Amino acid sequence: MASHAGLLILLSHPFASIAILVVAYWVGWIIYARNFHPLSKVPGPWLASVSRVWYMVQIATGETEKTTRRLHEKYGPVLRTSPNEVTCASPDAIKLIYRTQQPLNKTEFYTPWNTQNFSKHRDAFTEMNDKRHGERRRIVNHVYSLANILKSEKYIDLCSEIFLKRLDAFATSQQAVDLGEWFQMYAFDVIGELYFGRMFGFMEKSHDHGNWIQSLDLLMPFLCMTSVAPSYMRPLILSSALVVPGSIKALKAVETIGTAAREVVSKRFNIGATPEHERRTDVLQQLYDIHEEKGAKVDFKMGDIEQEAYVALFAGSDTTAIAFRSVFYNLMKNPDVYAALLEEIDMAVDDGRLHFPVSYAEASRLPLLCACIKEALRVHPGVQLILPRISPPEGLELCGTFVPPGYTVGVNGAVVHFDKSVFGPDADQYRPSRWLEDKEKATNMDRYMLHFGAGTRTCIGKNISIAEIHKLVPEVLRKFKFEMWDQDAQWKTHNFWFCKQTGLKVKVTQRKIC
Ligand code: HEM
């Protein structure tokens, strides 16, 4: 009787009633999530099975890929990383999840990355519906073919020229260089040349133009955290970013990137027809040609061109710099490979097979160079979280576990690239020669590379990065020697979707070439 009265008093207090309801909800939810939920039999950490908070904590550590690799070792190939989400470590899951026939849609993870105010159509990266995505991507796809991107080689060469000049100055002054930072400046300036008609001036002025690099570094963790958070927590996380020092400045910087995209497109094309001899052959021009030739028919307006340029800046600068860093870091940490690659490059120059500025065609014929680059992308892919997709109406069988329709599934490149059954018992080592041993084995390994994504959503800009990397690497290796400033230092990695590395402080010296 007394306890009854106590309960009534408690319930009459509004805060107490709310607290009781919340506790009851959570107890009910935990019992359901652990025992009756369709994914309840999928193993994983306890907290992950009842709340997305587990995933958010992992993002905060910046080391999700390492934890995921450890957990797969403990629990097996299928892992529950959130109440409604599973990640699969099996290489065979790639063709199931990122399939080209009846492809799976993207999830809400991508919404916070959405670009706004350019076009009524979502950009290629954040469009979740695969059918709509396919219709839009078909309009611009040909612009990104290797042959078309190579029409911009001369613009990439202009960037390389400045990059080499800067390296030369560092070599003369014997200053320590943050090579990672310089690769990012290079990658930004290349996007400038290809989409904005000119370099932004990162390398020319040796500075972080408009604070763009710093701003992306500040905003990426918030964007990534928002993406993995439950939808009701998203506004809270985004607004919490505002109290972090420098964030307003960062948001303004991102806004200026948008303004730059708008201005450049209108300046370039609102001044009347460009005389033929002044016409550039860059990506921006090719996108404009689509607008002119069939813009009305396919609804490809000036805003759509601006959107392409804007997305390229976000999707193509950090990622390319990450790839460059991985190539150089792994070479410096593996002197035998470095020496063998130099031999290949020097011989090619001596035999007249490699000229300066290096053309993509010549570079792509150097087997060890290509292997070193591919291996760098394998051991450190640019994106190191799963590429999340929604399981299809018929559900999906992943390594014997049935995932019903509507749940999130995905594979993480940073997990599957270390699969020993595909890449060999030394999969965790940087060993480029694995790509040269056996053609059939190499083709098979290629099938399981996820560095540029897979299926219908494969990276549209991959040929831009591939051209940049293959052209610049042999040229700088031929002309300069690179050593870690502190031989024993390791880089640090920070996984906020893009897994950026810091700590690539190097000593550069001119090579004495006879
Ligand atoms: C080494 C450099 C690069 C890496 C490692 C990389 C990686 C990726 C990955 C993994 C995806 C798939 C994302 C997903 O499925 O959610 C992707 C998509 C995309 N990337 Fe890249 N990327 C690179 C360079 C670039 C460049 C230079 C651009 C500039 C145009 C670019 C633009 C895009 C776009 C627009 C998408 C979405 C494609 C679609 O869904 O149709 N990327 N990239």
Side-chain angles (χ1 to χ4, degrees):
M1 194 63 192
S3 64
H4 237 112
L7 189 63
L8 282 175
I9 294 168
L10 207 62
L11 284 175
S12 65
H13 199 291
F15 289 120
S17 322
I18 291 170
I20 288 168
L21 280 176
V22 170
V23 170
Y25 167 81
W26 272 101
V27 170
W29 165 250
I30 290 169
I31 293 170
Y32 170 75
R34 299 284 306 159
N35 300 289
F36 306 106
H37 188 284
L39 301 180
S40 60
K41 297 285 174 290
V42 182
W46 186 89
L47 183 58
S49 68
V50 298
S51 168
R52 293 191 69 82
V53 165
W54 180 84
Y55 205 164
M56 292 167 69
V57 172
Q58 301 316 308
I59 297 298
T61 66
E63 299 200 334
T64 308
E65 81 291 356
K66 296 190 186 92
T67 313
T68 314
R69 281 197 291 260
R70 258 197 321 271
L71 289 174
H72 276 301
E73 266 171 35
K74 180 172 172 190
Y75 291 109
V78 187
L79 186 69
R80 191 178 185 190
T81 49
S82 292
N84 297 334
E85 181 162 334
V86 297
T87 159
C88 188
S90 164
D92 291 328
I94 294 178
K95 60 177 182 300
L96 291 174
I97 296 177
Y98 308 105
R99 59 200 197 191
T100 45
Q101 299 298 317
Q102 296 172 313
L104 274 51
N105 287 329
K106 284 190 167 183
T107 67
E108 283 291 342
F109 172 92
Y110 294 90
T111 311
W113 312 79
N114 188 23
T115 50
Q116 282 155 4
N117 306 328
F118 287 105
S119 164
K120 71 174 197 223
H121 304 284
R122 273 197 172 200
D123 63 86
F125 178 62
T126 63
E127 174 56 71
M128 294 189 292
N129 180 289
D130 208 83
K131 187 167 175 288
R132 274 200 301 273
H133 163 267
E135 286 161 10
R136 298 304 293 170
R137 181 155 168 164
R138 260 192 295 281
I139 299 169
V140 292
N141 225 4
H142 66 279
V143 172
Y144 295 93
S145 71
L146 184 60
N148 257 334
I149 292 304
L150 293 183
K151 288 182 185 158
S152 291
E153 271 201 273
K154 53 182 177 287
Y155 308 120
I156 299 177
D157 291 338
L158 292 176
C159 300
S160 306
E161 202 182 306
I162 300 199
F163 188 78
L164 287 158
K165 266 193 206 149
R166 295 289 171 262
L167 284 184
D168 206 46
F170 287 126
T172 308
S173 68
Q174 303 207 329
Q175 257 176 280
V177 189
D178 184 340
L179 197 58
E181 193 81 355
W182 274 89
F183 281 133
Q184 190 147 11
M185 298 206 274
Y186 174 83
F188 260 120
D189 271 338
V190 171
I191 297 290
E193 275 291 331
L194 268 50
Y195 287 85
F196 291 74
R198 58 175 169 78
M199 277 173 250
F200 296 112
F202 281 88
M203 294 189 291
E204 184 63 47
K205 298 201 179 112
S206 303
H207 77 162
D208 178 8
H209 170 84
N211 277 327
W212 290 359
I213 297 178
Q214 199 193 14
S215 305
L216 285 184
D217 286 351
L218 194 74
L219 292 178
M220 284 302 284
F222 283 101
L223 268 175
C224 189
M225 185 68 89
T226 309
S227 297
V228 303
S231 40
Y232 62 86
M233 281 175 86
R234 289 179 166 196
L236 200 71
I237 298 169
L238 278 179
S239 36
S240 74
L242 295 176
V243 297
V244 171
S247 58
I248 306 272
K249 216 166 119 193
L251 286 170
K252 283 219 171 92
V254 172
E255 221 178 281
T256 54
I257 301 181
T259 313
R262 285 192 179 89
E263 278 178 7
V264 74
V265 174
S266 62
K267 250 194 214 149
R268 174 109 158 244
F269 301 114
N270 285 348
I271 51 170
T274 318
E276 198 54 39
H277 67 279
E278 281 177 27
R279 223 174 115 94
R280 287 173 65 99
T281 50
D282 56 14
V283 177
L284 182 59
Q285 183 63 53
Q286 296 184 45
L287 291 169
Y288 184 72
D289 291 345
I290 297 177
H291 166 70
E292 280 230 303
E293 283 159 25
K294 52 178 180 181
K297 191 168 154 217
V298 297
D299 193 21
F300 192 75
K301 298 198 169 78
M302 294 296 255
D304 295 287
I305 306 178
E306 292 160 11
Q307 181 161 273
E308 289 281 320
Y310 184 77
V311 171
L313 263 179
F314 280 98
S317 52
D318 255 339
T319 45
T320 308
I322 290 169
F324 270 122
R325 287 186 204 113
S326 184
V327 173
F328 279 79
Y329 179 76
N330 283 298
L331 286 176
M332 287 185 287
K333 291 286 176 189
N334 292 276
D336 295 352
V337 181
Y338 192 165
L341 179 57
L342 276 185
E343 202 181 318
E344 182 182 74
I345 293 169
D346 288 343
M347 265 176 67
V349 176
D350 295 346
D351 298 352
R353 287 179 286 120
L354 195 66
H355 298 87
F356 301 106
V358 171
S359 70
Y360 174 77
E362 286 188 344
S364 63
R365 281 185 220 117
L366 301 182
L368 187 55
L369 172 72
C370 297
C372 287
I373 293 170
K374 195 171 276 183
E375 184 72 345
L377 288 163
R378 182 184 73 81
V379 297
H380 191 94
V383 173
Q384 300 208 2
L385 297 179
I386 64 163
L387 311 173
R389 302 291 188 264
I390 303 170
S391 58
E394 69 282 9
L396 202 63
E397 178 105 6
L398 296 174
C399 298
T401 298
F402 180 71
V403 181
Y407 291 91
T408 298
V409 290
V411 180
N412 184 344
V415 171
V416 84
H417 287 185
F418 293 92
D419 189 281
K420 291 189 167 65
S421 70
V422 174
F423 297 99
D426 60 351
D428 50 355
Q429 306 292 313
Y430 176 80
R431 191 174 63 81
S433 57
R434 78 179 75 245
W435 294 96
L436 307 171
E437 286 159 357
D438 173 344
K439 224 173 173 179
E440 214 173 292
K441 198 177 137 210
T443 311
N444 188 50
M445 291 193 293
D446 248 335
R447 270 192 211 116
Y448 299 107
M449 289 286 284
L450 207 53
H451 56 306
F452 285 123
T456 53
R457 311 303 294 258
T458 306
C459 177
I460 202 165
K462 69 177 181 177
N463 290 325
I464 298 176
S465 304
I466 285 182
E468 281 177 62
I469 298 166
H470 283 77
K471 284 164 68 61
L472 187 68
V473 171
E475 183 138 5
V476 297
L477 287 180
R478 165 76 177 175
K479 294 177 178 164
F480 300 97
K481 179 177 164 203
F482 296 88
E483 293 161 279
M484 289 294 284
W485 192 261
D486 168 2
Q487 296 288 346
D488 301 323
Q490 309 275 323
W491 67 14
K492 283 200 173 66
T493 60
H494 315 266
N495 187 1
F496 301 113
W497 174 251
F498 295 148
C499 191
K500 184 171 174 170
Q501 320 90 326
T502 51
L504 210 62
K505 199 167 142 195
V506 304
K507 180 178 169 199
V508 186
T509 34
Q510 273 112 350
R511 273 186 81 211
K512 291 181 185 60
I513 312 161
C514 13

